[in-house]
Amino acid sequence: MFSADDETFMRRALELAVMAMNHATPNPRVGCVLVRDGEIIAEGFTQRPGEQHAESHAIKNARSKGINLDGATAYVTLEPCNHFGKTPPCTEALISAGIQRVVTAMEDPNPMVGGTGHTRLRDSGIDVRVGLLSHDALELNIGFVKRMTTGLPWVRCKVAASMDGRTGLANGESQWITGDEARRDGHRWRARACAVLTGSGTIRHDNPQMTVRGVTTVLPLRQPLRVVFDHLGELSPAAKVLQGGALVYCSDRMPVGLPDNVEVVRLPDTRQVGKIDLPAALQDLGARGVNELHVEAGARLMGPMVQAGLVDELLVYLAPKLLGRDAREMFSFAAPEKLADAMQFDLHDVARLGDDVRIMMRAK
């Protein structure tokens, strides 16, 4: 069904989609390659929200060079949209350009598209082939796919720890457990996220900015939405994470005196007095267009999130150090009565970063 050339051109389209990694949200990251007579004649990738999608971007680049696209093949990492949103349908752009063949990696999970783009192209006489390197395309947009199918963001918890699973000393000192390369990698994961989340306890101990720093991006850097869970309602107006705007979820008690550009949402958990309704908070973030939620928080927030089955992925950085039994733990929750009842994860990836190791695990 697909040739070696098809795979080569789709791999290039996937490389282009990566260029949209840090700015496409809430849209998917998509790449497009236009080919004729075995040669690439134009390329494109998703621009900022409200601007061109990958297909239109590639077509524009071709026309700027005076290239006629009649009879060309388009390789696209996601099904072209077939509806009017902030931009016109990509299907119509491809049809108008004279494209004869379209190869896509996967169908769009967005209910507004969901196969209608492929149908529209076929109805216009275009040869459409679907499913080339679909796994690679899914990995690029795993958060978008989850939000479109469940309404929830893909939740990734990042933690840096010693080899004995400790994130800091008992006195609170935690900077820095891992080395420079691991910390730079952590910022790259922040940059791709739509939102970064921390808890009021982490703010009280470390007062982090939770911003992206030291990351080179294709388009000017977009800072993710900063989100805080403050179940005690004691967040300080001077907290660094609030500077420049943030979204705060609280429980029964609301924080007071926060800056005007900070939105506060009250979501008390009726089952646990004084706690935030975590599933409701994730549902609200999904409704706001958050595809990927990057969590950097303490054990008392990440533990309950993991135990409740709300975490999709763990990003664990381990340093070749030992901190001992009194140091701070990674996750705080009650131990199971039997080892067979332990929470299970699939090992997804392992990488060495300087002297540290990054382990990626996904919930079963």
Side-chain angles (χ1 to χ4, degrees):
M1 184 177 180
F2 299 111
S3 68
D5 283 346
D6 286 336
E7 183 170 335
T8 296
F9 295 131
M10 184 61 78
R11 290 201 181 280
R12 175 55 186 163
L14 288 163
E15 291 174 355
L16 291 165
V18 172
M19 295 183 184
M21 183 69 71
N22 302 320
H23 65 256
T25 180
N27 296 327
R29 302 143 177 158
V30 182
C32 177
V33 172
L34 302 179
V35 175
R36 187 168 52 214
D37 299 326
E39 299 290 336
I40 295 176
I41 53 179
E43 300 178 333
F45 57 91
T46 309
Q47 301 298 288
R48 297 181 186 88
E51 298 180 6
Q52 291 169 324
H53 290 187
E55 301 93 324
S56 297
H57 188 225
I59 291 170
K60 177 185 177 183
N61 289 338
R63 287 174 173 162
S64 70
K65 302 173 187 175
I67 296 174
N68 186 335
L69 295 175
D70 285 344
T73 295
Y75 294 86
V76 193
T77 59
L78 188 69
E79 176 184 7
C81 65
N82 190 46
H83 63 281
F84 281 91
K86 293 182 178 179
T87 59
C90 292
T91 51
E92 301 309 314
L94 292 167
I95 294 167
S96 298
I99 300 297
Q100 254 185 11
R101 181 172 180 255
V102 173
V103 180
T104 66
M106 61 180 288
E107 187 174 293
D108 192 334
N110 186 342
M112 297 181 68
V113 184
T116 63
H118 290 144
T119 299
R120 173 70 181 110
L121 295 173
R122 289 189 177 107
D123 288 347
S124 71
I126 293 176
D127 178 14
V128 178
R129 306 293 173 90
V130 184
L132 179 57
L133 301 179
S134 58
H135 176 76
D136 302 72
L138 171 62
E139 283 294 317
L140 276 174
N141 286 301
I142 198 162
F144 177 77
V145 171
K146 186 185 177 189
R147 183 170 68 86
M148 287 294 107
T149 54
T150 70
L152 300 171
W154 179 267
V155 180
R156 177 182 296 114
C157 283
K158 177 260 182 182
V159 59
S162 60
M163 282 294 173
D164 54 347
R166 302 297 175 172
T167 63
L169 300 179
N171 63 12
E173 183 182 355
S174 61
Q175 298 178 341
W176 298 102
I177 289 179
T178 53
D180 292 343
E181 192 170 342
R183 294 200 298 277
R184 283 194 296 269
D185 188 70
H187 275 273
R188 286 192 286 270
W189 286 97
R190 274 190 195 178
R192 68 173 280 167
C194 308
V196 293
L197 165 67
T198 194
S200 55
T202 297
I203 294 171
R204 192 164 55 252
H205 286 113
D206 301 332
N207 196 20
Q209 298 179 61
M210 300 302 292
T211 54
V212 176
R213 300 181 295 280
V215 175
T216 301
T217 56
V218 175
L219 298 182
L221 179 65
R222 167 201 60 86
Q223 288 291 347
L225 170 68
R226 288 178 288 177
V227 182
V228 179
F229 282 0
D230 180 26
H231 71 285
L232 297 175
E234 296 178 349
L235 192 58
S236 168
K240 292 179 181 178
V241 73
L242 302 180
Q243 309 311 308
L247 172 62
V248 176
Y249 291 100
C250 67
S251 180
D252 303 285
R253 288 183 287 178
M254 296 183 66
V256 296
L258 302 186
D260 292 339
N261 57 357
V262 174
E263 181 182 355
V264 179
V265 177
R266 186 171 174 268
L267 290 174
D269 190 335
T270 56
R271 299 159 299 177
Q272 301 183 67
V273 177
K275 297 295 184 180
I276 294 169
D277 188 333
L278 299 178
L282 295 183
Q283 194 75 47
D284 185 65
L285 287 168
R288 292 170 183 266
V290 173
N291 296 325
E292 294 183 18
L293 177 65
H294 181 89
V295 184
E296 293 187 32
R300 292 183 181 178
L301 174 54
M302 292 204 296
M305 290 185 71
V306 170
Q307 192 171 38
L310 302 176
V311 175
D312 300 292
E313 190 170 84
L314 297 179
L315 199 63
V316 181
Y317 296 83
L318 293 178
K321 300 173 182 176
L322 299 174
L323 298 185
R325 64 184 181 187
D326 294 327
R328 292 157 64 180
E329 59 194 347
M330 287 196 285
F331 305 99
S332 178
F333 53 83
E337 293 184 0
K338 298 181 296 182
L339 190 59
D341 295 331
M343 280 179 283
Q344 298 287 330
F345 288 81
D346 287 324
L347 186 61
H348 185 72
D349 182 65
V350 179
R352 180 167 178 170
L353 300 167
D355 291 330
D356 306 314
V357 175
R358 184 191 70 201
I359 302 174
M360 183 186 292
M361 297 175 284
R362 288 184 175 171
K364 282 187 177 294

